[in-house]
Amino acid sequence: MSITQPNEEIANRYTIKLTLAKQLVGSMIVVVRTPDEAYLAEAAGARAVIPWQMWYSSYKSAYGAAHGPSLNTIRGIMDRVTIPVVGRIRRGHIIEAKAMEGSYVNFIEEHELLAPITTTEYIPKHKFKYPFIAPAVDLKEALLRIKEGVSMVRTTYKSEDDVDIIYTFSVVNKIFNEIKTICEMDETSLMAWAAKTTIPIDLVKMVVRLKKLPVPFFAAGAVLMPIDVAQLMSMGCDGVVVSSRIFGIPNPETRLQDITIALEKYNDSDALAGIIENTGGYGKNFAL
């Protein structure tokens, strides 16, 4: 499809993609390795799954670098669930994105830790039919991804094997603090910030008006504890991406169900007390 299409057609298609992404607000996306894990995640309340095959450390040990799952793995998971499936691709790899569209996944995630073909460039996304998910470490990156046509922003992953939730919280805090900062700027300062970051001023003003990102914002990276999910939601996140490591703990079904409760009742003290009791105590993490 030509990238020289009329702006109105691009805008209309983007509206549809953004509407699809907004259907995931208030939910969890779960990284899964098998059709059975995908089925379990859907039964526990997930509204989307991301097929994966092994943890990053296993990929690097076997192949020297992390790569996405096979299409057979993706199709097997698509056949097992009724919820959207997200196909992961390497950053900047337009042909992989086209292959994912040909595989009829529901979303495409441009992933920063897969073996990249570029160090900085991300795919221009407006020419694609399917909605994209992409990472951001700060507000500038988030808005650059939105400028490119992303329909959902998530926090970046720190490294292949670091499962420390502290980094995820730090990125969430940074982005919300930066939003607060630009919301307090006068018109001149706002124009200067937009020019410095190469973000269209209309997009910057949209953030100021909404006091949040204009696309869903999910926390990702070491998300395993329901009580952490409640905290992330209370900070302003629209949902979470749950690590595949959750399937390595005792009773992952119960943990996923508790995450669903945390997503919905993150301000309910009684519900939160029950969640802590179910997980054996706050701060406890059976996945490490």
Side-chain angles (χ1 to χ4, degrees):
M1 188 172 288
S2 172
I3 61 174
T4 60
Q5 293 171 315
N7 288 337
E8 183 178 356
E9 183 176 347
I10 292 173
N12 289 340
R13 187 166 62 232
Y14 183 71
T15 298
I16 293 170
K17 292 189 285 188
L18 185 55
T19 299
L20 292 172
K22 286 182 176 179
Q23 291 178 1
L24 302 182
V25 167
S27 73
M28 61 178 170
I29 302 171
V30 182
V31 181
V32 299
R33 292 165 293 175
T34 67
D36 286 345
E37 288 181 357
Y39 180 82
L40 189 155
E42 180 178 14
R47 287 194 211 159
V49 292
I50 301 176
W52 202 231
Q53 281 179 293
M54 60 182 77
W55 291 339
Y56 290 107
S57 57
S58 301
Y59 267 116
K60 291 193 74 173
S61 175
Y63 307 113
H67 295 275
S70 69
L71 288 181
N72 283 338
T73 297
I74 293 172
R75 288 168 180 152
I77 288 170
M78 290 173 67
D79 288 342
R80 193 76 165 91
V81 298
T82 62
I83 55 178
V85 173
V86 181
R88 280 182 169 172
I89 63 168
R90 288 177 281 175
R91 181 177 61 227
H93 208 306
I94 293 174
I95 298 303
E96 281 188 351
K98 289 182 178 180
M100 283 298 167
E101 282 202 328
S103 300
Y104 302 105
V105 296
N106 305 98
F107 290 84
I108 300 170
E109 181 192 37
E110 208 167 355
H111 200 282
E112 68 275 27
L113 294 182
L114 296 180
I117 62 166
T118 172
T119 56
T120 57
E121 294 82 7
Y122 281 78
I123 294 170
K125 301 161 183 66
H126 284 296
K127 62 183 178 180
F128 287 89
K129 297 177 183 178
Y130 290 9
F132 270 73
I133 302 169
V137 72
D138 55 25
L139 180 59
K140 175 185 175 181
E141 276 198 5
L143 295 182
L144 285 174
R145 301 292 81 80
I146 295 169
K147 175 184 174 182
E148 293 163 357
V150 77
S151 302
M152 177 187 290
V153 171
R154 62 156 173 82
T155 57
T156 57
Y157 291 100
K158 185 176 182 181
S159 66
E160 290 95 336
D161 303 309
D162 193 330
V163 293
D164 190 350
I165 190 69
I166 295 172
Y167 179 76
T168 301
F169 273 104
S170 69
V171 175
V172 170
N173 267 315
K174 183 174 186 178
I175 290 175
F176 283 128
N177 285 337
E178 289 176 333
I179 290 173
K180 182 179 179 181
T181 297
I182 68 166
C183 286
E184 295 171 350
M185 289 181 179
D186 58 27
E187 183 75 12
T188 301
S189 299
L190 207 61
M191 295 286 289
W193 190 89
K196 180 180 179 181
T197 57
T198 69
I199 308 296
I201 187 61
D202 289 346
L203 180 54
V204 176
K205 288 183 176 180
M206 186 181 297
V207 173
V208 172
R209 185 174 69 253
L210 296 172
K211 293 183 171 53
K212 65 177 187 176
L213 295 178
V215 304
F217 175 50
F218 275 49
V223 176
L224 295 158
M225 292 293 291
I227 204 68
D228 291 340
V229 170
Q231 175 73 11
L232 290 163
M233 295 299 288
S234 71
M235 293 166 68
C237 291
D238 294 308
V240 296
V241 179
V242 178
S243 170
S244 64
R245 293 175 183 270
I246 201 163
F247 296 103
I249 68 173
N251 301 316
E253 302 95 330
T254 300
R255 181 71 69 89
L256 286 167
Q257 289 165 2
D258 283 342
I259 289 175
T260 297
I261 294 171
L263 286 161
E264 298 173 355
K265 300 183 177 181
Y266 55 89
N267 282 323
D268 185 325
S269 298
D270 291 338
L272 296 176
I275 284 171
I276 288 176
E277 183 177 357
N278 286 346
T279 52
Y282 56 88
K284 194 171 184 178
N285 194 332
F286 291 109
L288 300 182

